[in-house]
Amino acid sequence: MAGDLNLDVLKVNENKFITEYVDSLFAHGFLQVITWPTRICPTSATLIDHLLTTNLSNSQLSYIICSHISDHFPLLHVYDLDCPTPTPPPTITFRDLSDFSI
């Protein structure tokens, strides 16, 4: 789940509403995968763009892209589903004992 929620989770210990928000996420199995500021201004740095997951497998990577296209840095999350390749159904052989075949 991702969104620009305008809640600076870097202030989790300074603001009771943010603390309750993060506690609620944890209670439902969500973890914030971005832990660095996503909006940097001359006087502040905030983490207000959230990227949440319930699956912390080793096959996922998250990035903050440093770009000036917005006042927020874009986020990129790569998740490898490790989907197994489908196996074809087994071949069933049988003898055709119909009158036509005989």
Side-chain angles (χ1 to χ4, degrees), residues 11-73:
K11 295 181 180 172
V12 67
N13 295 324
E14 300 170 24
N15 183 306
K16 77 172 193 163
F17 297 111
I18 295 172
T19 302
E20 289 174 4
Y21 166 73
V22 171
D23 287 346
S24 177
L25 290 175
F26 286 158
H28 289 90
F30 287 96
L31 293 174
Q32 171 79 10
V33 296
I34 300 293
T35 57
W36 289 86
T38 57
R39 184 169 188 265
I40 299 177
C41 298
T43 59
S44 68
T46 58
L47 175 50
I48 59 177
D49 301 293
H50 301 197
L51 190 55
L52 308 166
T53 186
T54 58
N55 183 353
L56 287 179
S57 70
N58 291 331
S59 60
Q60 60 185 349
L61 299 169
S62 300
Y63 301 97
I64 300 171
I65 301 169
C66 295
S67 171
H68 297 289
I69 62 173
S70 172
D71 62 335
H72 297 239
F73 293 143

